[in-house]
């Protein structure tokens, strides 16, 4: 099940990168089209995320049952485990917010009915929670994929992810400024 989850995560990461780049350029006004493309990418990615959530819930439940049977949870020693779960929950909540904000458009152009401070804050928090979730889960992903000595690869992945997430945060900020001046 962990291997299936890992493959799902690779698919999510690939689609996320495409979604982020295309959506970011759309938000900053480089191109306005591609709405049907973005919808397809978004729905496929959302389906993979749903599968990832279900598998993660099952794996978490298995871990909690094992802890209960052992009679020791070691909460302090498992801080990273809980950070991964909590960051995943935060990502889920902010994805719902993202869907609510960006599900509407005007004739293929990204022009929302409302994008003010609260919406910008929720999207910046989405970027931050994604960064935390990816950073804390990159090592278990590499282990699940059988990559034993991938320190350089992990660093490369984190750098690319950081650049993409900074781009996303900047695109949200640019859109916020554009939305409030137009």
């Amino acid at each position: 099940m962990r291997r299936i989850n890992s493959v799902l995560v690779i698919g999510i990461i690939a689609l996320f990168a495409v979604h982020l780049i295309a959506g970011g350029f759309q938000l900053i006004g480089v191109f306005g089209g591609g709405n049907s493309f973005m919808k397809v990418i978004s729905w496929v990615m959302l389906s993979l995320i749903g599968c990832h959530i279900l598998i993660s819930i099952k794996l978490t439940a298995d871990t909690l049952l094992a802890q209960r049977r052992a009679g020791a949870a070691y909460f302090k020693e498992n801080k990273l485990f809980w950070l991964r779960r909590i960051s995943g929950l935060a990502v889920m909540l902010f994805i719902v917010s993202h869907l609510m904000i960006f599900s509407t458009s005007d004739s293929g152009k990204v022009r929302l009915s409302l994008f003010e401070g609260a919406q910008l804050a929720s999207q910046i928090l989405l970027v931050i929670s994604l960064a935390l979730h990816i950073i804390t889960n990159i090592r278990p992903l590499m282990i699940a994929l059988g990559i034993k000595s991938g320190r350089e690869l992990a660093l490369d992945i984190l750098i690319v992810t950081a650049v993409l997430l900074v781009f996303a945060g900047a695109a949200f900020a640019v859109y916020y400024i554009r939305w409030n001046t137009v």
Side-chain angles (χ1 to χ4, degrees), residues 67-82:
Q67 288 177 349
R68 177 178 258 174
R69 285 186 201 129
Y74 302 110
F75 183 77
K76 287 183 182 179
E77 291 78 7
N78 290 318
K79 288 178 191 172
L80 189 56
F81 171 84
W82 288 109

Side-chain angles (χ1 to χ4, degrees), residues 142 147 149-159:
M142 293 180 70
I147 302 170
S149 60
R151 179 162 265 195
E152 294 87 16
L153 179 62
L155 183 61
D156 291 345
I157 291 169
L158 291 175
I159 289 171

Side-chain angles (χ1 to χ4, degrees), residues 46-68:
L46 193 59
S47 299
L48 295 178
I49 290 170
C51 293
H52 173 64
I53 290 168
L54 292 174
I55 291 171
S56 297
I57 289 170
K58 167 77 168 98
L59 293 172
T60 301
D62 291 348
T63 301
L64 294 175
L65 284 172
Q67 288 177 349
R68 177 178 258 174

Side-chain angles (χ1 to χ4, degrees), residues 12-182:
I12 292 167
I13 290 170
L15 291 173
F16 170 69
V18 172
H19 177 80
L20 187 150
I21 292 167
F25 283 130
Q26 202 172 9
L27 286 176
I28 61 176
V30 171
F31 64 88
N35 200 23
S36 61
F37 170 74
M38 287 295 286
K39 281 185 181 181
V40 170
I41 293 289
S42 300
W43 283 110
V44 171
M45 184 171 53
L46 193 59
S47 299
L48 295 178
I49 290 170
C51 293
H52 173 64
I53 290 168
L54 292 174
I55 291 171
S56 297
I57 289 170
K58 167 77 168 98
L59 293 172
T60 301
D62 291 348
T63 301
L64 294 175
L65 284 172
Q67 288 177 349
R68 177 178 258 174
R69 285 186 201 129
Y74 302 110
F75 183 77
K76 287 183 182 179
E77 291 78 7
N78 290 318
K79 288 178 191 172
L80 189 56
F81 171 84
W82 288 109
L83 182 60
R84 290 174 179 144
R85 276 30 181 207
I86 292 167
S87 68
L89 181 61
V91 169
M92 284 187 341
L93 295 174
F94 290 121
I95 285 175
V96 170
S97 170
H98 185 77
L99 288 169
M100 290 170 47
I101 292 170
F102 287 98
S103 290
T104 60
S105 66
D106 183 24
S107 66
K109 295 181 180 175
V110 178
R111 177 70 182 157
L112 307 175
S113 58
L114 180 67
F115 196 77
E116 293 181 345
Q119 289 78 11
L120 176 63
S122 73
Q123 298 315 289
I124 298 297
L125 289 171
L126 171 62
V127 169
I128 292 168
S129 63
L130 273 167
L132 182 62
H133 194 63
I134 291 168
I135 288 167
T136 59
N137 283 291
I138 194 71
R139 183 179 164 127
L141 175 62
M142 293 180 70
I143 291 169
L145 293 172
I147 302 170
K148 294 181 177 146
S149 60
R151 179 162 265 195
E152 294 87 16
L153 179 62
L155 183 61
D156 291 345
I157 291 169
L158 291 175
I159 289 171
V160 169
T161 301
V163 169
L164 288 174
L165 290 173
V166 167
F167 173 70
F172 288 130
V174 167
Y175 184 74
Y176 171 77
I177 292 167
R178 287 180 55 221
W179 192 90
N180 284 298
T181 58
V182 174

